[in-house]
Coordinates of all heavy atoms in Angstrom, one line a residue:
V251 N 26.7 -25.4 0.9 CA 26.5 -26.5 2.0 C 27.7 -26.3 2.9 O 28.9 -26.4 2.5 CB 26.3 -27.8 1.4 CG1 26.2 -28.8 2.5 CG2 25.2 -27.9 0.5
V252 N 27.4 -26.1 4.2 CA 28.4 -26.1 5.2 C 28.1 -27.2 6.3 O 27.0 -27.3 6.8 CB 28.5 -24.7 5.9 CG1 29.6 -24.5 7.0 CG2 28.8 -23.6 4.7
E253 N 29.2 -27.9 6.6 CA 29.0 -28.7 7.9 C 29.8 -28.2 9.0 O 31.1 -27.9 8.8 CB 29.6 -30.2 7.5 CG 28.8 -30.9 6.4 CD 29.1 -32.4 6.2 OE1 30.2 -32.7 6.8 OE2 28.4 -33.0 5.5
V254 N 29.2 -28.2 10.2 CA 29.9 -27.7 11.4 C 29.7 -28.7 12.5 O 28.8 -29.4 12.5 CB 29.1 -26.4 11.8 CG1 29.3 -25.3 10.7 CG2 27.7 -26.5 12.2
G255 N 30.7 -28.7 13.4 CA 30.7 -29.5 14.6 C 29.8 -28.7 15.7 O 29.3 -27.6 15.5
P256 N 29.7 -29.4 16.9 CA 29.0 -28.7 18.1 C 29.4 -27.3 18.3 O 28.6 -26.5 18.6 CB 29.3 -29.7 19.2 CG 29.7 -31.0 18.5 CD 30.4 -30.7 17.3
G257 N 30.6 -27.0 18.1 CA 31.2 -25.6 18.4 C 30.9 -24.6 17.3 O 31.0 -23.4 17.5
G258 N 30.3 -25.1 16.2 CA 29.9 -24.2 15.1 C 28.4 -24.1 14.9 O 28.0 -23.5 13.8
R259 N 27.7 -24.6 15.8 CA 26.3 -24.5 15.6 C 25.6 -23.2 15.6 O 24.5 -22.9 15.0 CB 25.5 -25.4 16.7 CG 25.7 -26.8 16.7 CD 25.1 -27.5 17.9 NE 23.6 -27.4 17.8 CZ 22.8 -28.5 17.3 NH1 23.5 -29.5 16.7 NH2 21.6 -28.3 17.1
W260 N 26.4 -22.2 16.0 CA 25.9 -20.8 16.0 C 25.6 -20.3 14.7 O 25.0 -19.4 14.4 CB 26.9 -19.9 16.8 CG 28.3 -19.9 16.2 CD1 29.3 -20.6 16.6 CD2 28.8 -19.2 15.0 NE1 30.5 -20.4 15.9 CE2 30.2 -19.5 14.8 CE3 28.3 -18.2 14.2 CZ2 30.9 -18.8 13.9 CZ3 29.0 -17.6 13.2 CH2 30.3 -17.9 13.1
V261 N 26.4 -20.9 13.7 CA 26.2 -20.5 12.2 C 24.8 -20.6 11.8 O 24.2 -19.7 11.1 CB 27.0 -21.4 11.3 CG1 26.8 -21.0 9.8 CG2 28.5 -21.3 11.6
A262 N 24.0 -21.6 12.2 CA 22.6 -21.8 11.9 C 21.8 -20.7 12.5 O 20.7 -20.3 11.9 CB 22.1 -23.1 12.3
E263 N 22.2 -20.1 13.5 CA 21.5 -19.0 14.2 C 21.8 -17.6 13.7 O 21.0 -16.8 13.5 CB 21.8 -19.0 15.7 CG 21.1 -18.0 16.6 CD 21.5 -18.1 18.0 OE1 22.2 -19.0 18.4 OE2 21.1 -17.2 18.8
Y264 N 23.1 -17.5 13.1 CA 23.6 -16.2 12.7 C 23.3 -16.0 11.2 O 23.1 -14.9 10.7 CB 25.1 -16.1 12.9 CG 25.6 -14.7 12.9 CD1 25.5 -13.9 13.9 CD2 26.4 -14.4 11.8 CE1 26.1 -12.5 13.9 CE2 26.9 -13.1 11.7 CZ 26.7 -12.2 12.8 OH 27.2 -10.9 12.7
Y265 N 23.2 -17.1 10.4 CA 23.1 -17.0 9.0 C 21.8 -17.5 8.6 O 21.4 -18.6 9.0 CB 24.3 -17.7 8.2 CG 25.6 -17.0 8.3 CD1 26.4 -17.3 9.4 CD2 26.0 -16.4 7.3 CE1 27.7 -16.8 9.4 CE2 27.3 -15.7 7.3 CZ 28.1 -15.9 8.3 OH 29.3 -15.3 8.5
P266 N 21.0 -16.7 7.8 CA 19.7 -17.3 7.2 C 19.9 -18.5 6.4 O 21.0 -18.5 5.5 CB 19.2 -16.2 6.3 CG 19.8 -15.0 6.9 CD 21.2 -15.3 7.3
H267 N 19.2 -19.6 6.5 CA 19.5 -20.8 5.7 C 18.2 -21.6 5.3 O 17.2 -21.3 5.9 CB 20.4 -21.7 6.6 CG 19.8 -22.1 8.0 ND1 19.9 -21.2 9.0 CD2 18.9 -23.1 8.4 CE1 19.2 -21.7 10.0 NE2 18.7 -22.8 9.7
D268 N 18.5 -22.4 4.3 CA 17.3 -23.1 3.8 C 17.0 -24.3 4.6 O 15.8 -24.7 4.9 CB 17.5 -23.6 2.3 CG 17.6 -22.4 1.5 OD1 17.0 -21.2 1.7 OD2 18.2 -22.6 0.4
S269 N 18.1 -25.0 5.1 CA 17.8 -26.1 6.1 C 19.1 -26.4 7.0 O 20.2 -25.9 6.7 CB 17.7 -27.4 5.2 OG 18.8 -27.8 4.4
A270 N 18.9 -27.1 8.0 CA 20.0 -27.4 9.0 C 19.7 -28.8 9.5 O 18.8 -29.0 10.3 CB 20.0 -26.4 10.1
E271 N 20.5 -29.8 9.0 CA 20.2 -31.2 9.3 C 21.2 -31.6 10.4 O 22.4 -31.2 10.5 CB 20.4 -32.1 8.1 CG 19.6 -31.7 7.0 CD 19.9 -32.6 5.7 OE1 20.7 -33.5 5.8 OE2 19.6 -32.2 4.6
E272 N 20.7 -32.3 11.4 CA 21.5 -32.8 12.6 C 22.5 -33.8 12.0 O 22.2 -34.7 11.2 CB 20.6 -33.4 13.7 CG 19.7 -32.4 14.4 CD 20.5 -31.5 15.4 OE1 21.6 -31.9 15.6 OE2 20.0 -30.5 15.7
L273 N 23.7 -33.8 12.6 CA 24.8 -34.7 12.2 C 25.0 -35.6 13.5 O 24.7 -35.2 14.5 CB 26.0 -34.1 11.8 CG 26.0 -33.3 10.5 CD1 27.3 -32.5 10.4 CD2 25.6 -34.1 9.3
P274 N 25.5 -36.8 13.3 CA 25.7 -37.7 14.4 C 26.5 -37.2 15.5 O 26.3 -37.6 16.7 CB 26.3 -39.0 13.7 CG 25.8 -38.9 12.3 CD 25.8 -37.5 12.0
D275 N 27.5 -36.4 15.1 CA 28.5 -35.8 16.2 C 27.9 -34.6 17.0 O 28.7 -34.0 17.7 CB 29.7 -35.5 15.6 CG 29.7 -34.4 14.6 OD1 28.6 -34.0 14.3 OD2 30.8 -34.0 14.1
G276 N 26.7 -34.3 16.7 CA 26.2 -33.1 17.3 C 26.2 -31.9 16.6 O 25.8 -30.7 17.0
G277 N 26.9 -32.0 15.4 CA 27.0 -30.8 14.4 C 25.8 -30.7 13.6 O 24.6 -31.3 13.7
L278 N 25.8 -29.8 12.5 CA 24.8 -29.6 11.6 C 25.4 -29.6 10.1 O 26.5 -29.1 10.0 CB 24.2 -28.2 11.9 CG 23.3 -28.0 13.2 CD1 23.0 -26.6 13.4 CD2 22.2 -28.9 13.3
R279 N 24.5 -29.9 9.2 CA 24.7 -29.8 7.8 C 23.8 -28.7 7.3 O 22.6 -28.8 7.2 CB 24.5 -31.0 7.1 CG 24.8 -31.0 5.5 CD 24.4 -32.3 4.9 NE 24.7 -32.1 3.4 CZ 25.7 -32.5 2.8 NH1 26.8 -32.9 3.5 NH2 25.8 -32.3 1.4
I280 N 24.3 -27.5 7.1 CA 23.6 -26.4 6.8 C 23.6 -25.9 5.4 O 24.7 -25.9 4.7 CB 24.2 -25.1 7.6 CG1 24.1 -25.5 9.2 CG2 23.3 -23.9 7.3 CD1 25.0 -24.6 9.9
T281 N 22.4 -25.8 4.7 CA 22.3 -25.4 3.4 C 21.9 -24.0 3.3 O 20.7 -23.6 3.9 CB 21.3 -26.2 2.6 OG1 21.8 -27.7 2.7 CG2 21.3 -25.8 1.2
L282 N 22.6 -23.1 2.7 CA 22.2 -21.6 2.6 C 22.3 -21.0 1.3 O 23.2 -21.7 0.5 CB 22.9 -20.8 3.7 CG 24.5 -20.9 3.8 CD1 25.0 -20.0 2.8 CD2 24.9 -20.6 5.2
R283 N 21.9 -19.8 1.0 CA 22.1 -19.2 -0.2 C 22.7 -17.8 0.0 O 22.4 -17.1 1.0 CB 20.9 -19.0 -1.0 CG 20.2 -20.4 -1.4 CD 18.8 -20.1 -2.2 NE 18.2 -21.4 -2.4 CZ 18.5 -22.2 -3.5 NH1 19.4 -21.7 -4.3 NH2 17.9 -23.3 -3.7
T284 N 23.7 -17.4 -0.9 CA 24.2 -16.0 -0.8 C 24.6 -15.6 -2.2 O 25.0 -16.3 -3.0 CB 25.5 -16.2 0.1 OG1 26.2 -14.9 0.1 CG2 26.4 -17.3 -0.3
P285 N 24.5 -14.3 -2.4 CA 24.9 -13.7 -3.7 C 26.5 -13.8 -3.9 O 26.8 -13.6 -5.1 CB 24.3 -12.3 -3.7 CG 24.3 -12.0 -2.3 CD 23.9 -13.3 -1.5
D286 N 27.1 -13.9 -2.8 CA 28.6 -13.8 -2.9 C 29.2 -15.0 -2.1 O 29.6 -14.9 -1.0 CB 29.1 -12.5 -2.4 CG 30.7 -12.4 -2.5 OD1 31.2 -13.2 -3.3 OD2 31.2 -11.6 -1.7
P287 N 29.1 -16.2 -2.7 CA 29.7 -17.4 -2.1 C 31.1 -17.2 -1.5 O 31.5 -17.6 -0.6 CB 29.7 -18.5 -3.1 CG 28.5 -18.0 -4.1 CD 28.7 -16.6 -4.1
A288 N 31.9 -16.5 -2.3 CA 33.4 -16.3 -2.0 C 33.5 -15.6 -0.5 O 34.5 -15.9 0.1 CB 34.1 -15.4 -2.9
S289 N 32.4 -15.0 -0.1 CA 32.5 -14.3 1.2 C 32.5 -15.2 2.3 O 32.9 -14.9 3.4 CB 31.4 -13.2 1.4 OG 30.2 -14.0 1.4
L290 N 32.0 -16.5 2.1 CA 31.9 -17.4 3.1 C 33.3 -18.1 3.3 O 33.4 -18.8 4.3 CB 31.0 -18.5 2.7 CG 29.5 -18.1 2.7 CD1 28.7 -19.3 2.3 CD2 29.0 -17.5 4.0
R291 N 34.3 -17.7 2.6 CA 35.7 -18.2 2.9 C 36.2 -17.7 4.3 O 36.8 -18.4 5.0 CB 36.7 -17.7 1.9 CG 36.6 -18.7 0.6 CD 37.6 -18.3 -0.3 NE 37.5 -16.9 -0.8 CZ 38.2 -16.3 -1.9 NH1 38.9 -17.0 -2.5 NH2 37.9 -15.0 -2.1
R292 N 35.7 -16.5 4.6 CA 36.1 -16.0 5.9 C 35.4 -16.7 7.0 O 36.0 -16.9 8.1 CB 35.6 -14.5 5.9 CG 36.5 -13.6 5.1 CD 36.2 -12.1 5.3 NE 34.8 -11.7 5.0 CZ 34.4 -11.3 3.8 NH1 35.2 -11.2 2.8 NH2 33.1 -11.0 3.5
L293 N 34.1 -17.1 6.7 CA 33.4 -18.0 7.7 C 34.3 -19.3 7.9 O 34.4 -19.7 9.1 CB 32.1 -18.3 7.2 CG 31.3 -19.4 8.0 CD1 31.0 -18.7 9.4 CD2 29.9 -19.7 7.3
A294 N 34.7 -20.0 6.8 CA 35.4 -21.1 7.1 C 36.7 -20.9 7.9 O 37.0 -21.8 8.7 CB 35.8 -21.7 5.6
L295 N 37.4 -19.7 7.6 CA 38.5 -19.5 8.3 C 38.3 -19.3 9.9 O 39.0 -19.7 10.8 CB 39.3 -18.4 7.8 CG 39.9 -18.5 6.5 CD1 40.5 -17.2 5.9 CD2 41.0 -19.5 6.5
R296 N 37.2 -18.6 10.2 CA 36.7 -18.4 11.5 C 36.4 -19.8 12.3 O 36.7 -19.9 13.4 CB 35.6 -17.4 11.7 CG 36.0 -16.0 11.3 CD 34.9 -15.1 11.8 NE 33.6 -15.2 11.2 CZ 33.2 -14.6 10.1 NH1 34.0 -13.9 9.4 NH2 31.9 -14.9 9.6
L297 N 35.7 -20.6 11.5 CA 35.3 -21.8 12.0 C 36.5 -22.8 12.4 O 36.4 -23.5 13.4 CB 34.4 -22.6 11.1 CG 33.0 -22.1 11.0 CD1 32.2 -22.7 9.9 CD2 32.1 -22.4 12.3
G298 N 37.5 -22.7 11.6 CA 38.7 -23.6 11.8 C 38.3 -25.1 12.0 O 37.6 -25.6 11.0
R299 N 38.6 -25.8 13.0 CA 38.3 -27.2 13.1 C 36.8 -27.5 13.5 O 36.2 -28.5 13.4 CB 39.0 -27.8 14.3 CG 40.5 -27.8 14.0 CD 41.3 -28.4 15.2 NE 42.7 -28.5 14.9 CZ 43.6 -28.9 15.8 NH1 43.2 -29.4 16.9 NH2 44.9 -29.0 15.5
D300 N 36.0 -26.3 13.7 CA 34.6 -26.5 13.9 C 33.7 -26.6 12.7 O 32.5 -26.6 12.8 CB 34.2 -25.4 14.9 CG 34.6 -25.6 16.3 OD1 34.8 -26.6 16.8 OD2 34.9 -24.5 17.0
G301 N 34.3 -26.5 11.6 CA 33.5 -26.6 10.4 C 34.2 -26.4 9.1 O 35.4 -26.1 9.0
R302 N 33.5 -26.8 8.0 CA 34.1 -26.8 6.6 C 33.0 -26.7 5.7 O 31.9 -26.9 5.8 CB 34.7 -28.0 6.4 CG 33.9 -29.3 6.3 CD 34.7 -30.6 6.3 NE 33.8 -31.8 6.1 CZ 33.5 -32.3 5.0 NH1 34.0 -31.9 3.9 NH2 32.7 -33.4 5.0
I303 N 33.4 -26.0 4.5 CA 32.5 -25.8 3.3 C 32.5 -27.1 2.6 O 33.7 -27.6 2.3 CB 32.9 -24.6 2.4 CG1 32.8 -23.3 3.2 CG2 32.2 -24.6 1.2 CD1 33.3 -22.1 2.5
V304 N 31.4 -27.6 2.3 CA 31.3 -28.9 1.5 C 31.1 -28.7 0.0 O 31.6 -29.3 -0.8 CB 30.3 -29.9 2.1 CG1 30.0 -31.2 1.3 CG2 30.4 -30.1 3.6
E305 N 30.1 -27.9 -0.3 CA 29.7 -27.5 -1.7 C 29.5 -26.1 -1.8 O 29.1 -25.4 -0.9 CB 28.5 -28.3 -2.1 CG 28.6 -29.7 -2.1 CD 27.3 -30.5 -2.4 OE1 26.3 -29.7 -2.7 OE2 27.3 -31.6 -2.3
P306 N 29.8 -25.5 -2.9 CA 30.4 -26.0 -4.1 C 31.9 -26.5 -4.0 O 32.5 -25.9 -3.1 CB 30.1 -25.1 -5.2 CG 30.1 -23.7 -4.5 CD 29.5 -24.0 -3.2
R307 N 32.3 -27.4 -4.7 CA 33.7 -27.9 -4.6 C 34.8 -26.8 -4.7 O 35.7 -26.8 -4.0 CB 33.9 -29.0 -5.5 CG 33.1 -30.2 -5.2 CD 33.3 -31.5 -6.2 NE 32.7 -32.7 -5.8 CZ 32.8 -33.8 -6.4 NH1 33.6 -33.9 -7.5 NH2 32.1 -34.9 -6.2
E308 N 34.6 -26.0 -5.8 CA 35.5 -25.0 -6.0 C 35.7 -24.1 -4.8 O 36.8 -23.5 -4.5 CB 35.3 -24.2 -7.3 CG 33.9 -23.5 -7.4 CD 32.8 -24.4 -7.9 OE1 33.1 -25.7 -7.9 OE2 31.8 -23.9 -8.4
L309 N 34.6 -23.7 -4.1 CA 34.6 -22.8 -3.0 C 35.4 -23.5 -1.8 O 36.1 -23.0 -1.1 CB 33.2 -22.3 -2.7 CG 33.1 -21.5 -1.5 CD1 33.9 -20.2 -1.6 CD2 31.6 -21.2 -1.1
A310 N 34.9 -24.9 -1.7 CA 35.5 -25.7 -0.6 C 37.1 -25.7 -0.8 O 37.8 -25.5 0.2 CB 35.0 -27.1 -0.6
E311 N 37.6 -25.8 -2.0 CA 39.0 -25.9 -2.2 C 39.6 -24.6 -2.0 O 40.7 -24.4 -1.5 CB 39.3 -26.5 -3.7 CG 40.8 -26.3 -4.0 CD 41.6 -27.3 -3.0 OE1 41.2 -28.2 -2.6 OE2 42.7 -26.8 -2.8
S312 N 38.9 -23.6 -2.5 CA 39.4 -22.1 -2.2 C 39.6 -21.9 -0.7 O 40.5 -21.2 -0.3 CB 38.4 -21.2 -2.9 OG 38.8 -19.8 -2.6
A313 N 38.6 -22.3 0.0 CA 38.6 -22.2 1.6 C 39.9 -22.8 2.1 O 40.6 -22.4 3.0 CB 37.4 -22.5 2.3
R314 N 40.0 -24.1 1.7 CA 41.1 -24.9 2.2 C 42.6 -24.2 1.8 O 43.5 -24.1 2.7 CB 41.1 -26.3 1.7 CG 40.1 -27.1 2.3 CD 40.3 -28.6 1.9 NE 40.0 -28.8 0.6 CZ 38.8 -29.2 0.1 NH1 37.8 -29.3 0.9 NH2 38.6 -29.4 -1.1
R315 N 42.5 -23.6 0.6 CA 43.9 -23.1 0.2 C 44.2 -21.8 1.0 O 45.2 -21.6 1.5 CB 43.7 -22.7 -1.3 CG 45.0 -22.1 -1.9 CD 45.0 -22.1 -3.4 NE 43.7 -21.3 -3.9 CZ 42.8 -21.9 -4.4 NH1 42.8 -23.3 -4.7 NH2 41.8 -21.3 -4.9
A316 N 43.0 -21.0 1.3 CA 43.2 -19.7 2.1 C 43.6 -20.2 3.5 O 44.5 -19.5 4.1 CB 41.9 -19.0 2.2
A317 N 43.2 -21.3 4.1 CA 43.6 -21.7 5.4 C 45.0 -22.1 5.4 O 45.8 -21.8 6.4 CB 42.7 -22.8 5.8
R318 N 45.4 -22.9 4.4 CA 46.8 -23.3 4.2 C 47.8 -22.1 4.2 O 48.8 -22.0 4.8 CB 47.0 -24.3 3.2 CG 46.4 -25.6 3.2 CD 47.0 -26.5 2.2 NE 46.6 -26.1 0.8 CZ 45.5 -26.7 0.2 NH1 44.7 -27.5 0.9 NH2 45.2 -26.1 -0.9
E319 N 47.3 -21.0 3.4 CA 48.2 -19.9 3.3 C 48.2 -19.0 4.6 O 49.3 -18.5 4.9 CB 47.6 -19.0 2.2 CG 47.8 -19.5 0.8 CD 47.0 -18.8 -0.3 OE1 46.3 -17.8 0.1 OE2 47.1 -19.1 -1.5
A320 N 47.1 -19.0 5.3 CA 47.1 -18.3 6.5 C 48.0 -19.0 7.5 O 48.7 -18.3 8.3 CB 45.6 -18.2 7.0
L321 N 48.0 -20.3 7.6 CA 48.7 -21.1 8.5 C 50.3 -20.9 8.2 O 51.1 -20.8 9.0 CB 48.4 -22.7 8.5 CG 49.0 -23.5 9.4 CD1 48.9 -23.1 10.8 CD2 48.6 -25.0 9.3

Side-chain angles (χ1 to χ4, degrees):
V251 178
V252 181
E253 289 187 354
V254 300
R259 292 179 67 95
W260 59 264
V261 174
E263 184 178 353
Y264 196 78
Y265 287 85
H267 54 276
D268 295 337
S269 65
E271 303 172 16
E272 293 285 345
L273 296 176
D275 65 351
L278 294 172
R279 181 182 176 90
I280 303 168
T281 302
L282 53 86
R283 297 180 182 275
T284 174
D286 182 20
S289 65
L290 293 182
R291 283 182 301 193
R292 293 191 295 274
L293 171 63
L295 291 175
R296 289 198 296 270
L297 284 169
R299 296 180 179 179
D300 286 327
R302 65 191 181 96
I303 295 174
V304 178
E305 297 176 5
R307 291 184 178 179
E308 56 273 20
L309 178 59
E311 177 54 36
S312 174
R314 285 193 291 269
R315 186 167 55 250
R318 288 194 296 268
E319 292 172 354
L321 183 59

